[in-house]
Amino acid sequence: MRLLEYQGRTLLDKAGINLPEGQVVQTPEDARSAALELETSVAIKAQVPVGGRGKAGGIKIVDTPEQASTVSSDLLGSDLKGETINELLVVEAVTIEQELYLSVILDRENKRPVIIFSTSGGVDIEQIAEDKPDAIHSQEIDPLIGLRSYQIRELLYSSELNQARLRTMMNSVRRVYDCFEDYGATLVEINPFVFTSNDDLLALDSKVIIDDESRAREEIVNMLPMDQPAQNETELERRASELGLQYVELEGNIGVIGNGAGLVMSTLDVLSQRGGDPANFLDVGGGADAQLMEDSYSLVTSKSGVEGVLVNIFGGITRCDKIAQGVVDALDKSPADLPLVVRLTGTNEDAGREILNDYGIASAEPLNEAADEIIARVNN
Ligand code: GDP
Ligand code: MN
């Protein structure tokens, strides 16, 4: 679960990391009074769960409360990288002297946290890795032993920070690591972490991801009550969880609907092996009926970039004829004219295929062929 910037700030603040002062607002009037109260130039920052807000126009620095109000009314309600801006963070604008990068990330392969540090902050870590791979330093931490002081020294060893900054940074690495551990995070990234001309170190931006298993921790629940949808969800993910469906978004162009996690995963594998590119997948679970199929189809095809749909259903409790009827009903309601291939096996499969046939919907068996069929249709 990705936290919004201001939520991450709450955790960093508790961990003793210095942050520019500021507050979250939802109206231009409140932005004006926040700026007035800060008595400095302010940065107005869109609170949406995506990176690269600066480049996309979601961060504006203004000099007066009047401008804060004008800029806020432009930003509020507008769209930033597909997300509606409902909240803004108004923070004192900082004069940056040096931009650093610091993160703690869970390396799932090695099952350990890794601390990553660079003096080339302010741009994405991927960009630093490409431009200046030597400027990235990292330390793997044994979770049972914890962070040792020598590891912090090694991390910062070649950074050429002056004595005062080095000492400040050493303390901050420990605090950021503690923050990662204490809140069950899988990522705490501060970028940029900046020094001002008085050697003050401030976290200007942060990205915090909390492990879903840590969701119930008190500090997290206080920020995000359990009955609230996680705010890192896209519109379609929210719709799916309201329907009680497992739905995940990917990058490709073929929507996938299946029943049961195992079947869905193997459908994705086969589709990829045959050269297809899944756009998303939805698990309708057991006992899917016609209505559920209809909702699922509409959800999967609502994602922009979906050019075709592959349905793979094993009929056990779920009867194939009901599934087929759902697909037909869905097409009746939204004749999207997208290529569709359905694979039905199990209970009442013949009846199911007949319904599809009568409606002119392609069915295929085995899965290899169904995958090839949808790939060919989408590429046409
Ligand atoms: P992101 O684009 O979503 O990563 O948002 P950031 O908060 O990291 O802002 C992007 C960039 O805007 C930063 O790398 C800074 O260079 C700049 N920026 C953000 N806040 C301030 C500020 O208070 N003062 C100055 N001078 N620059 C800022
Ligand atoms: Mn940033």
Side-chain angles (χ1 to χ4, degrees):
M1 170 182 54
R2 177 175 178 161
L3 302 184
L4 292 171
E5 181 186 7
Y6 74 88
Q7 296 164 336
R9 275 168 58 97
T10 306
L11 301 185
L12 289 170
D13 185 39
K14 282 192 184 156
I17 298 294
N18 288 328
L19 301 152
E21 252 185 77
Q23 67 189 76
V24 185
V25 302
Q26 292 170 340
T27 64
E29 295 72 53
D30 287 349
R32 184 206 309 264
S33 24
L36 195 63
E37 214 167 288
L38 289 168
E39 295 182 317
T40 60
S41 298
V42 293
I44 313 264
K45 310 181 73 177
Q47 298 300 288
V48 287
V50 295
R53 293 166 300 162
K55 274 192 201 137
I59 295 175
K60 307 270 194 230
I61 296 180
V62 300
D63 295 322
T64 65
E66 204 44 53
Q67 289 169 343
S69 158
T70 315
V71 162
S72 298
S73 67
D74 287 346
L75 286 174
L76 285 166
S78 75
D79 176 285
L80 192 76
K81 295 177 139 186
E83 300 290 325
T84 306
I85 304 174
N86 297 315
E87 293 169 306
L88 300 169
L89 180 63
V90 180
V91 281
E92 54 174 317
V94 172
T95 307
I96 300 172
E97 204 188 82
Q98 186 178 18
E99 286 187 297
L100 309 166
Y101 174 97
L102 179 69
S103 68
V104 184
I105 185 165
L106 180 66
D107 179 347
R108 292 187 187 273
E109 209 155 304
N110 292 316
K111 306 189 174 97
R112 286 164 183 231
V114 176
I115 307 184
I116 301 171
F117 172 75
S118 177
T119 48
S120 298
V123 294
D124 288 350
I125 188 71
E126 291 83 6
Q127 195 62 46
I128 310 175
E130 207 172 307
D131 298 344
K132 291 192 200 168
D134 295 343
I136 297 179
H137 304 281
S138 63
Q139 287 285 316
E140 252 186 37
I141 310 302
D142 184 327
L144 297 179
I145 297 174
L147 173 61
R148 311 293 301 269
S149 299
Y150 79 87
Q151 294 178 301
I152 305 182
R153 286 196 296 275
E154 273 185 20
L155 186 75
L156 305 177
Y157 178 68
S158 57
S159 63
E160 292 176 0
L161 294 172
N162 68 34
Q163 274 305 314
R165 289 189 182 183
L166 190 61
R167 209 166 310 124
T168 307
M169 200 65 207
M170 289 179 92
N171 285 328
S172 299
V173 170
R174 179 158 308 276
R175 286 175 184 168
V176 172
Y177 184 79
D178 287 346
C179 180
F180 174 90
E181 271 211 322
D182 292 349
Y183 300 116
T186 55
L187 174 73
V188 177
E189 180 185 66
I190 302 181
N191 186 28
F193 215 174
V194 307
F195 277 112
T196 64
S197 48
N198 335 319
D199 291 340
D200 286 334
L201 180 62
L202 293 167
L204 231 60
D205 184 26
S206 62
K207 175 175 177 183
V208 177
I209 299 178
I210 300 293
D211 193 318
D212 287 342
E213 300 300 322
S214 312
R215 171 90 203 252
R217 294 195 189 197
E218 195 184 345
E219 295 84 354
I220 313 289
V221 172
N222 287 342
M223 284 193 304
L224 283 171
M226 295 296 264
D227 55 0
Q228 259 181 39
Q231 297 178 34
N232 59 335
E233 288 181 331
T234 65
E235 188 56 45
L236 292 178
E237 284 167 348
R238 270 192 288 274
R239 246 172 76 189
S241 62
E242 275 165 27
L243 290 167
L245 301 171
Q246 295 296 327
Y247 171 76
V248 174
E249 305 218 313
L250 303 164
E251 307 283 322
N253 59 352
I254 299 174
V256 172
I257 299 173
N259 61 341
L263 186 69
V264 172
M265 289 302 130
S266 51
T267 308
L268 293 170
D269 283 348
V270 170
L271 188 61
S272 299
Q273 280 159 12
R274 310 300 284 190
D277 206 357
N280 52 17
F281 63 86
L282 189 142
D283 177 359
V284 296
D289 59 11
Q291 181 62 46
L292 190 56
M293 272 321 284
E294 205 181 304
D295 292 341
S296 302
Y297 181 82
S298 135
L299 205 130
V300 162
T301 52
S302 294
K303 180 172 191 288
S304 69
V306 172
E307 294 170 0
V309 179
L310 175 60
V311 177
N312 186 13
I313 299 282
F314 175 76
I317 302 168
T318 314
R319 287 166 40 193
C320 290
D321 54 328
K322 295 263 182 197
I323 297 293
Q325 193 56 51
V327 172
V328 166
D329 290 349
L331 288 179
D332 263 342
K333 290 209 176 133
S334 75
D337 223 13
L338 289 176
L340 168 69
V341 175
V342 183
R343 174 180 182 248
L344 288 176
T345 49
T347 314
N348 292 2
E349 60 181 51
D350 291 336
R353 284 200 206 108
E354 209 172 299
I355 294 171
L356 295 176
N357 259 340
D358 289 348
Y359 202 82
I361 298 169
S363 59
E365 163 68 17
L367 180 53
N368 276 351
E369 278 171 30
D372 288 346
E373 175 81 18
I374 189 64
I375 293 167
R377 296 251 204 132
V378 162
N379 291 339
N380 257 318

